[in-house]
Amino acid sequence: MVCSRPARRRGAARVNAGLERASTATRVATVLRERITAGAASPGSRIVELDVARELGVSRSPVREALLKLAEEGLIAIVPYRGAIVVPLQRRRLAELLEFRLALEHFALERAIERAGDGVLATLRERLAALRRALATRNRRHIVDEDLAMHRAIMATAGNSLLERAYDSLLAQIRLYIDVTSARYERLDELAEEHEALLAAVGRRDLSAARDLLDAHILHGFDAPADVPPGPSGETSHRASGKNARRKRTA
């Protein structure tokens, strides 16, 4: 049986509508993600589907899809009878995020050192230079962008697409919490110095030193910060406990 032209046109129209809706949902998710990570939508606040649709001039369907995407990323929670809520900051959640991030970056670091040829080192040096330029601007959002870009470049050197996808799925949450730990730097230049020391260890192919430097950098300032309330049980992780815990382990 051969489909008539009108039937084919209707089928094509449905496909195009689906693609357009998906594209719109992606754009809506981008807008909301940026608001959350920039602090414009505060933790615990509601995101009202109808309000977002009116503001952005779209139907509610792509907004609903965008909210589901952000829920998958861990940025919001869909609460019965309340709707979408920006996930509150919690020490336990931050600890879990740091643990998972460290596990992924340790693996990538090992691969980066195995492949630490001129091309890899040149790419990482470019990212370090970009970070230094960002630090000169004193623009926190720009600094965070370049800090994460440096780590994303390390992940890319592993040559493992599954690893990269897993890390990318964390980036929005990392950005959500990073203001808490980055505020603990007494001097912004420390951020560049930590990355420079890490890059030097990679260049020497010194995995042990590189891992220690990476841990110190990622856990910098994480001493159960008062800015982040504890989780439901008031507990923090047994591993991600910052500089004080590292000092205790080596005492």
Side-chain angles (χ1 to χ4, degrees), residues 13-134:
R14 284 195 294 269
V15 170
N16 290 336
L19 291 174
E20 183 177 349
R21 185 174 63 251
S23 177
T24 302
T26 299
R27 293 197 299 270
V28 173
T30 298
V31 170
L32 295 177
R33 186 184 299 108
E34 289 178 352
R35 289 181 183 178
I36 293 170
T37 56
S42 58
S45 63
R46 290 183 63 206
I47 297 180
V48 181
E49 183 182 298
L50 182 58
D51 291 348
V52 173
R54 287 173 175 168
E55 178 190 355
L56 300 182
V58 299
S59 68
R60 297 178 66 172
S61 179
V63 175
R64 192 173 302 118
E65 292 180 32
L67 292 175
L68 290 174
K69 172 64 175 172
L70 296 180
E72 290 176 1
E73 294 177 8
L75 292 180
I76 67 169
I78 308 297
V79 182
Y81 308 111
R82 293 193 64 195
I85 307 294
V86 179
V87 173
L89 298 174
Q90 294 181 349
R91 292 179 205 161
R92 183 173 180 177
R93 180 65 172 173
L94 174 56
E96 292 172 347
L97 179 63
L98 291 176
E99 287 179 350
F100 192 35
R101 180 186 178 186
L102 281 170
L104 295 178
E105 294 208 28
H106 283 169
F107 179 85
L109 193 61
E110 183 177 344
R111 293 295 181 271
I113 288 178
E114 289 175 358
R115 304 178 179 199
D118 293 340
V120 168
L121 292 174
T123 297
L124 296 180
R125 289 191 186 102
E126 288 174 5
R127 295 265 45 101
L128 177 59
L131 175 60
R132 287 193 177 280
R133 290 193 295 271

Side-chain angles (χ1 to χ4, degrees), residues 109 113 116 197-198 200-213:
L109 193 61
I113 288 178
L198 175 60
V202 172
R204 297 193 307 271
R205 299 180 184 271
D206 187 339
L207 179 59
S208 178
R211 284 174 62 113
D212 287 345
L213 289 164

Side-chain angles (χ1 to χ4, degrees), residues 186-232:
E186 295 179 6
R187 296 182 300 106
L188 283 177
D189 286 345
E190 284 184 88
L191 187 60
E193 291 165 3
E194 288 178 356
H195 285 92
E196 188 167 15
L198 175 60
L199 180 54
V202 172
R204 297 193 307 271
R205 299 180 184 271
D206 187 339
L207 179 59
S208 178
R211 284 174 62 113
D212 287 345
L213 289 164
L214 178 69
D215 289 358
H217 165 62
I218 289 179
L219 296 175
H220 188 131
F222 183 67
D223 293 297
D227 316 54
V228 180

